[in-house]
Amino acid sequence: AEPPRLSFYRSLNHMYAQVVDDTANEGKGHTLASYSTLNMKKDGAAPGDDAEALAVPRLVGGKVAELAKSKGVEKVVFDKGGHLYHGKVAAVADGARAAGLDF
């Protein structure tokens, strides 16, 4: 069976990461976990609170990984959403790996 997909999306103001099982729902997919900078605001840690630019994407990757692991997901495929694997995209992946996701 194909592992779930960790996908990344970045808008002008926010970044989003989600773990999706593409094989569920007769191929329509099912979101297993998601986290974004919008969640950070609700959690009380607004984007830009940290001086290090890559700390926020690392946190987003780490949080989505924690949520996915709580649902039993250990291994994923990383979908960088058409972006180059560098900067914030790489930081999301680093955060997810540090939290225990394997890809």
Side-chain angles (χ1 to χ4, degrees), residues 6-26:
L6 169 60
S7 64
F8 170 79
Y9 173 74
R10 188 173 82 196
S11 70
L12 288 175
N13 298 318
H14 296 283
M15 61 188 73
Y16 309 82
Q18 62 183 4
V19 176
V20 179
D21 180 2
D22 291 319
T23 60
N25 250 353
E26 298 174 1

Side-chain angles (χ1 to χ4, degrees), residues 80-102:
K80 50 192 176 46
H83 299 285
L84 293 175
Y85 186 83
H86 137 57
K88 292 179 180 177
V89 177
V92 169
D94 291 343
R97 275 193 197 103
L101 277 185
D102 181 29

Side-chain angles (χ1 to χ4, degrees), residues 53-68:
L54 298 179
V56 171
R58 233 180 256 121
L59 181 79
V60 169
K63 289 285 194 177
V64 78
E66 287 173 21
L67 293 169

Side-chain angles (χ1 to χ4, degrees), residues 23-38:
T23 60
N25 250 353
E26 298 174 1
K28 295 179 184 170
H30 175 73
T31 302
L32 301 170
S34 66
Y35 197 82
S36 72
T37 51
L38 293 171

